Amino acid sequence: MRLRDIKKDWMINKAVYFMALPMLIYFIIFNWLPIGGMMLAFEEYSSRGGTLGSQYIGFQNFVDFFATSYLARIFRNTIVISLMSMAINFPAPIILALLLNEMENQLYKKVIQTVSYMPYFISTVVICGIIKDFVANDGPITYALYNMGVISTRQDLLTSGLAFRFFRPIFVISNAWQSTGYGSIIFLAMLSSVDQELYEAAKIDGAGRWKQTLHVTIPGILPIIMLMLIMQVSSLLNVAMEKILLLYAATNYEVSDVIMTFVYRSGLQQGRQGYATAVQIFNSLISMALLLISNSVSRKVSDFSLF
Amino acid sequence: MPTSQLNLTNNIDVSKLSQGRGNSIRDTPARKVFKVFNYIFLLALGLVCLVPLWHIAMLSFSNPTLIQRNTGLVLWPLGLAPFSGGQVNQQTGVPLTATLAGYQVVLSNAALIRGYANTIFYVGAGCFLSILFGAVGAYCVSRKNTLFMMPLLAVIMVSMFFNGGLVPTYMVYKGLGMVNTRWSLILNGMLNIMNIIILMTAFRGLPDGLEESAQLDGAGHMTMLFKIALPLCKASIAVIALFYAIGKWNDYLQAAIYVNGKRALYPLQLIIRDILTQPTSPTGMEVDIASSIGPANEGRALVEYTTIMFSTVPLLCFYPFIQKYFVKGIMIGSIKG
């Protein structure tokens, strides 16, 4: 690339570069500046000094974090909640898609689909309001559990001592309730693009519906299944905090406090900006490692990888 | 070649799904059992999705005293005559009937109405600016004969994989003096690299001849973008705008982070959060309840249900019409990976 080429390019495309300016500025300010701002993790933040002028303290924030008992607690909670979510929320949409796919009555199928997507579009705040109502001491779920003998006293499942047993199941099951239908959309679309001739061929070979599903349908959607699995494994530590912030209480942090809620509380409510950033950086590093590991495992096992 | 297997655009007509899978052959007994099971299971699933919402809807019309006594699922308004009429308050002898009082309180609550107005503003202004700047940016990176647009795209692509995280991002907004202003909520997530790439792909898919003939007619970049490219990519724009609007409408966390200190700027979701989570919220709710329902401790639950309905029903009314775009949106999003 010579200087003359650059000059020529500038002459022709000057207007385009000016038009791109707002976008560039936006990403520099709201994406690159915060990345630079991660140096907060190595500082004792003071509002007078700001991000640039605060006292540099090396790895002290990380050392502090490793020395507390919070480390074990928030990692345990995050990983347990994530694994529980994965155990339910990963297979559920696939199973729903397969069942919908077998439904021959198109109208029935359409109605079920429409109804099952709906909860996904209700706001987190309202969902949590509904959850709280259902598991309050006079709520239908509490009542049902009491009648079945699962719990011996009718108490609020989220705020009483029962939260130690029920917080995580409530969180995970309500997630499944909200997102299974929506999650099945992508699998249904993949199912519809499986080559129909493969089914004909399987039928000629004497495969029944179940064998067809096993040997044609599932291999057909395997790439998207693997993609989803890689995504889920790599976000193992990123349990969304929106819902947890609304559902948990200080009395049950032992089972409910996750990394992101911890970062939120320490960084924005307790004014420990440096410390919170350090926790988040640590979290990001592990997430990245998980992504790389799951990607290479997937490449070995199923020949599918993101990169 | 993994990417080619992910090509979802070929055939996504879900309704054509089960054709060609042999309805002609008579079903085996096992297949018949499965079919019955499938009908019942999917019906149960549909009910599980609907019933909680129905329960809340029915409670929002119920009698506050009966709500206090109730413990199970509610399938019709408590105190509505044909279903469960006839109960009276033992002290006063007043019959306990279904009521619209909850809606009166909600509709006359200034904080809620202001929240609604704020949300509409954030969604409207945010959507407009997001599409405007997103389209301009995408148009620029879609230009093929430029030297520096690809490096520039790489610079902004970083945001797909790395971001500073919660606190450093907050500190940037704070440094700009935008915390507790409307700007923080409008700028937050205004440009999104995913959307820019989706629009860029759409613009690149337009025929080259179109641009040449427009240039011959003396069209500048702005004319080309707003008069030619945008109208031809309406579908992509609609999907992006829709997802942005739904996300913004439902979001409470960004508002809780960025405008936490200023109640006048609270969007609807934050007001609802306060009503649902804080026993005595500074929204004037208690006064309203006491004046139109009776004892605040009784009216409280009723008002919570009506608040939920008040905030959710308008969105659900649009839901059947916009549902088809969700499928399209998911497809567009997932082609990108």
Side-chain angles (χ1 to χ4, degrees):
Chain A
M1 206 191 304
R2 283 168 304 176
L3 193 65
R4 216 179 62 204
D5 293 338
I6 297 177
K7 265 188 182 161
K8 195 175 149 216
D9 178 60
W10 175 252
M11 289 299 285
I12 300 170
N13 294 316
K14 202 163 35 177
V16 179
Y17 290 128
F18 275 114
M19 277 168 75
L21 218 50
M23 173 175 66
L24 185 63
I25 293 172
Y26 180 90
F27 279 102
I28 286 176
I29 292 179
F30 296 111
N31 192 59
W32 281 97
L33 272 188
I35 290 177
M38 285 167 119
M39 67 183 182
L40 268 175
F42 307 97
E43 290 171 357
E44 176 74 56
Y45 179 80
S46 67
S47 54
R48 201 160 41 86
T51 304
L52 288 173
S54 292
Q55 175 73 38
Y56 175 77
I57 53 165
F59 283 87
Q60 193 56 45
N61 283 323
F62 291 90
V63 174
D64 285 351
F65 176 56
F66 290 131
T68 60
S69 60
Y70 296 129
L71 174 74
R73 186 174 84 181
I74 62 178
F75 265 85
R76 188 191 58 227
N77 286 337
T78 308
I79 289 173
V80 170
I81 290 178
S82 265
L83 289 178
M84 284 173 76
S85 288
M86 250 167 87
I88 296 179
N89 295 346
F90 179 66
I94 302 176
I95 294 170
L96 177 62
L98 288 173
L99 289 178
L100 284 169
N101 194 34
E102 294 296 329
M103 175 54 63
E104 281 148 19
N105 184 337
Q106 293 303 319
L107 178 69
Y108 193 82
K109 181 173 149 189
K110 189 102 199 151
V111 171
I112 297 292
Q113 276 180 291
T114 305
V115 168
S116 68
Y117 304 162
M118 203 165 58
Y120 191 81
F121 295 92
I122 298 174
S123 73
T124 313
V125 173
V126 167
I127 292 283
C128 291
I130 297 177
I131 294 172
K132 281 180 168 171
D133 181 66
F134 270 67
V135 303
N137 52 11
D138 56 354
I141 290 180
T142 316
Y143 196 67
L145 289 176
Y146 178 72
N147 283 352
M148 288 190 291
V150 180
I151 49 176
S152 51
T153 49
R154 278 209 288 122
Q155 281 176 305
D156 191 308
L157 299 185
L158 282 176
T159 54
S160 72
L162 289 172
F164 286 91
R165 271 169 71 196
F166 287 103
F167 181 88
R168 289 166 183 166
I170 289 171
F171 179 79
V172 170
I173 292 171
S174 61
N175 274 355
W177 178 75
Q178 203 183 355
S179 59
T180 298
Y182 188 76
S184 70
I185 295 178
I186 190 156
F187 295 109
L188 268 174
M190 281 305 276
L191 283 172
S192 71
S193 63
V194 173
D195 192 350
Q196 295 300 321
E197 284 175 18
L198 290 176
Y199 289 112
E200 299 299 329
K203 242 184 283 177
I204 291 167
D205 289 347
R209 292 292 279 228
W210 172 244
K211 280 273 161 80
Q212 287 176 32
T213 304
L214 215 58
H215 297 295
V216 179
T217 314
I218 293 189
I221 60 171
L222 199 61
I224 197 83
I225 294 182
M226 290 315 291
L227 173 71
M228 292 291 169
L229 195 61
I230 295 176
M231 306 273 249
Q232 292 219 353
V233 171
S234 62
S235 61
L236 197 64
L237 294 186
N238 296 327
V239 171
M241 64 173 157
E242 281 97 334
K243 252 178 89 177
I244 294 193
L245 279 179
L246 292 172
L247 291 177
Y248 76 171
T251 50
N252 54 46
Y253 281 170
E254 198 53 40
V255 292
S256 58
D257 195 18
V258 295
I259 299 171
M260 283 315 293
T261 50
F262 183 77
V263 169
Y264 178 84
R265 280 204 317 281
S266 50
L268 295 183
Q269 293 178 340
Q270 297 160 1
R272 303 176 70 190
Q273 286 87 346
Y275 182 70
T277 309
V279 176
Q280 182 146 36
I281 288 180
F282 184 63
N283 180 21
S284 308
L285 287 177
I286 296 184
S287 290
M288 208 178 303
L290 283 173
L291 175 65
L292 294 176
I293 292 170
S294 60
N295 189 54
S296 67
V297 167
S298 163
R299 186 163 33 191
K300 289 226 172 68
V301 174
S302 76
D303 241 12
F304 176 82
S305 62
L306 275 179
F307 42 81
Chain B
M1 194 57 201
T3 44
S4 64
Q5 288 169 343
L6 278 178
N7 187 358
L8 304 170
T9 46
N10 300 340
N11 177 15
I12 54 170
D13 187 356
V14 181
S15 63
K16 291 213 184 90
L17 255 177
S18 58
Q19 288 170 9
R21 277 192 73 184
N23 303 343
S24 51
I25 301 167
R26 186 128 25 88
D27 290 339
T28 61
R31 175 76 189 158
K32 273 183 195 152
V33 172
F34 169 78
K35 268 186 172 171
V36 173
F37 159 80
N38 201 11
Y39 266 98
I40 297 174
F41 182 82
L42 289 179
L43 178 71
L45 206 87
L47 285 180
V48 165
C49 288
L50 267 187
V51 163
L53 306 174
W54 185 254
H55 169 82
I56 301 289
M58 291 304 107
L59 279 171
S60 73
F61 297 105
S62 293
N63 181 283
T65 316
L66 294 178
I67 290 176
Q68 297 270 300
R69 293 184 198 159
N70 174 65
T71 44
L73 270 180
V74 176
L75 298 179
W76 50 79
L78 298 170
L80 190 67
F83 304 109
S84 67
Q87 299 192 57
V88 289
N89 186 330
Q90 256 116 42
Q91 275 110 47
T92 56
V94 179
L96 298 170
T97 55
T99 171
L100 288 173
Y103 286 94
Q104 278 170 4
V105 171
V106 165
L107 286 173
S108 63
N109 186 272
L112 257 177
I113 303 296
R114 197 183 53 219
Y116 238 107
N118 281 339
T119 291
I120 289 169
F121 173 75
Y122 296 137
V123 170
C127 216
F128 175 74
L129 291 176
S130 173
I131 293 292
L132 178 71
F133 283 103
V136 170
Y139 176 81
C140 296
V141 286
S142 76
R143 305 288 299 173
K144 284 161 198 152
N145 49 0
T146 55
L147 283 179
F148 296 103
M149 275 307 160
M150 282 303 111
L152 194 143
L153 184 64
V155 167
I156 61 175
M157 281 268 268
V158 168
S159 71
M160 211 146 74
F161 306 102
F162 296 102
N163 60 72
L166 186 65
V167 179
T169 310
Y170 178 82
M171 297 318 285
V172 167
Y173 279 91
K174 199 175 165 202
L176 292 170
M178 286 182 184
V179 170
N180 290 332
T181 67
R182 291 183 195 276
W183 285 109
S184 59
L185 289 186
I186 288 177
L187 287 174
N188 204 304
M190 184 180 87
L191 286 184
N192 173 327
I193 186 67
M194 275 303 187
N195 294 346
I196 288 178
I197 292 176
I198 290 171
L199 279 180
M200 180 188 80
T201 318
F203 290 158
R204 281 198 180 155
L206 298 175
D208 288 336
L210 210 62
E211 186 192 319
E212 282 161 25
S213 59
Q215 265 172 344
L216 281 180
D217 289 343
H221 290 296
M222 285 296 169
T223 320
M224 227 128 74
L225 169 60
F226 290 106
K227 292 266 167 65
I228 298 168
L230 272 192
L232 286 173
C233 299
K234 257 188 240 154
S236 301
I237 302 272
V239 168
I240 290 173
L242 187 72
F243 273 79
Y244 179 92
I246 291 174
K248 206 81 182 168
W249 184 281
N250 283 342
D251 171 69
Y252 87 97
L253 188 62
Q254 298 304 330
I257 293 170
Y258 291 108
V259 297
N260 193 33
K262 213 160 175 194
R263 301 196 64 86
L265 299 183
Y266 276 17
L268 180 63
Q269 300 298 335
L270 266 193
I271 305 276
I272 302 172
R273 182 198 68 173
D274 286 355
I275 291 172
L276 295 183
T277 57
Q278 293 168 9
T280 49
S281 53
T283 51
M285 214 72 184
E286 302 304 318
V287 183
D288 291 347
I289 295 172
S291 66
S292 68
I293 299 179
N297 59 346
E298 282 195 352
R300 181 93 220 151
L302 175 65
V303 168
E304 288 181 9
Y305 300 130
T306 40
T307 307
I308 289 177
M309 295 308 291
F310 179 67
S311 66
T312 311
V313 166
L315 206 61
L316 289 186
C317 288
F318 287 113
Y319 171 72
F321 305 105
I322 57 183
Q323 190 209 350
K324 61 171 188 252
Y325 289 103
F326 301 153
V327 180
K328 201 183 266 174
I330 285 201
M331 290 313 131
I332 292 179
S334 55
I335 290 164
K336 297 281 133 347

